[in-house]
Amino acid sequence: MNLEAIEAVKKLLSTPQNIVIVPHKNPDGDAIGSTLALWHYLQNRGHNATIVSPNDYPKFLKWMPGNEHILNFEKENSQAKGAIHHADLIFTLDFNHLGRIGQLQPLLEESKAKFIMIDHHQAPSDYAEIMYSDVAMSSTCEMVYNFIAFLGDESKITPEMANCLYTGIMTDTGSFKFSSTTSKTHKVVAELIDKGAENTNIHNKIYDTNSPSRLHLLGCALKNMVILEEYRTAYITLSQTELDTYSYKKGDTEGFVNYGLTLEGICFAVIFIENKEEGIIKISFRSEGDFSVNEFARSHFNGGGHDNAAGGKSDVPLEESTAFFVSLLKDYKEKLNA
Ligand code: 5GP
Ligand code: MN
């Protein structure tokens, strides 16, 4: 963040404000961790802050301190609308264009509030008065830590905030292993532990909450994996019927896509998940090395994200979607084998 932006934020926050904080649709650990940490910070400074999530999120994220204050736009609709209507300031966290917030999009587009974006995805659109956008950052949680430090308030980071921020950095970096993890990330994480983040406990709460049905669903996903050695690619499919068979719950498929990358020689891993209710196939893309899945998702599947982790969707049936995907690969053969 430049000095001018920091001064502008300081001024905006110098008197109590009505503030709404919004994460992207289907929020992940980074989205929920960052919105909650910022919520605690703003509340502690005497503002009236409200988090509005576009929809529900997995149970393994619901232990975070302050979670009970998050409004789910699909369930607490009129309360959420009221908060947005009265907002002086709207923080948008962990996304950078308003197409990422589902049914919330028209409300935010109509809002007269000032927008502050904190985000680490590529190609930000320009809806925000104040943008803290940095694609080199590991996570929005690392950025919220910096944001609070820029305002001179590092010492105001409470154990609650530290637990939320640690969670988002951990989940967005694949437990500190992705290439976005820098020495600065580790320094921030060290500070967070000193400020009360219970690191071992957090790992357990996020990763060690498997149900038998989720592990069986993982078994099904791995059985369905197709390996295309000539393209150094592995993809997984899960149909709605398969999800139903294993009593799928939100969040159950988190991390499945990464198994493809654990195969020797594979640098591009994809999962296609049928969603009958929304009438789409939700797709996650992951890569190792220089192959940009952000570009691939943006070009062919109405999506985006980061160089090594992106998402998108397809409107045609599962088998057609995977056939289309495979047909694209021959144009990428060189890049995939570079
Ligand atoms: P995931 O595959 O875990 O859902 O998402 C991986 C990354 O891609 C995340 O940073 C997420 O925000 C981004 N992403 C996921 N789905 C979409 C999408 O449909 N559009 C865009 N622009 N980004 C997405
Ligand atoms: Mn993120």
Side-chain angles (χ1 to χ4, degrees), residues 272-275 278-283 300-302 312-322 324:
F272 297 82
I273 302 173
E274 186 174 29
N275 184 331
E278 294 190 22
I280 59 160
I281 311 297
K282 183 68 195 152
I283 313 169
H300 307 293
F301 291 98
N302 193 22
K313 48 187 166 294
S314 165
D315 300 323
V316 299
L318 188 56
E319 276 175 25
E320 251 178 82
S321 298
T322 56
F324 173 62

Side-chain angles (χ1 to χ4, degrees), residues 28 30 94 120-121 139-140 172 306:
D28 55 9
D30 189 32
D94 203 32
H120 65 137
H121 293 89
S139 54
T140 302
D172 252 33
H306 311 286

Side-chain angles (χ1 to χ4, degrees), residues 188-209:
V188 167
V189 163
E191 283 294 326
L192 291 173
I193 293 173
D194 284 343
K195 291 179 187 302
E198 297 170 46
N199 49 328
T200 304
N201 214 353
I202 294 172
H203 282 263
N204 289 339
K205 280 178 168 152
I206 296 289
Y207 297 120
D208 298 343
T209 55

Side-chain angles (χ1 to χ4, degrees), residues 180-242:
S180 58
T181 313
T182 62
S183 63
K184 280 204 185 110
T185 312
H186 280 285
K187 280 176 190 143
V188 167
V189 163
E191 283 294 326
L192 291 173
I193 293 173
D194 284 343
K195 291 179 187 302
E198 297 170 46
N199 49 328
T200 304
N201 214 353
I202 294 172
H203 282 263
N204 289 339
K205 280 178 168 152
I206 296 289
Y207 297 120
D208 298 343
T209 55
N210 268 321
S211 60
S213 61
R214 182 190 183 249
L215 286 188
H216 293 142
L217 181 65
L218 172 61
C220 173
L222 295 178
K223 250 191 200 156
N224 291 349
M225 184 185 283
V226 176
I227 300 165
L228 304 168
E229 268 173 50
E230 63 174 318
Y231 301 117
R232 300 181 64 200
T233 296
Y235 73 87
I236 291 172
T237 56
L238 281 173
S239 68
Q240 185 70 61
T241 312
E242 287 167 330

Side-chain angles (χ1 to χ4, degrees), residues 117-186:
M117 174 201 295
I118 305 180
D119 179 65
H120 65 137
H121 293 89
Q122 305 200 356
S125 49
D126 67 351
Y127 60 83
E129 273 82 2
I130 295 172
M131 272 170 69
Y132 177 25
S133 165
D134 187 348
V135 297
M137 283 285 157
S138 71
S139 54
T140 302
C141 278
E142 185 175 343
M143 298 176 79
V144 167
Y145 182 97
N146 293 344
F147 179 81
I148 293 170
F150 292 147
L151 299 178
D153 283 338
E154 233 173 322
S155 64
K156 291 190 182 148
I157 294 178
T158 61
E160 287 80 13
M161 291 156 70
N163 277 294
C164 296
L165 292 175
Y166 184 100
T167 302
I169 299 175
M170 179 189 83
T171 55
D172 252 33
T173 58
S175 297
F176 318 110
K177 89 172 184 192
F178 297 155
S179 58
S180 58
T181 313
T182 62
S183 63
K184 280 204 185 110
T185 312
H186 280 285

Side-chain angles (χ1 to χ4, degrees), residues 24 97 100 121 254 282 284 286 302-306 309-313:
H24 56 77
H97 66 95
R100 292 277 290 131
H121 293 89
E254 200 67 44
K282 183 68 195 152
S284 288
R286 299 290 185 270
N302 193 22
H306 311 286
K313 48 187 166 294

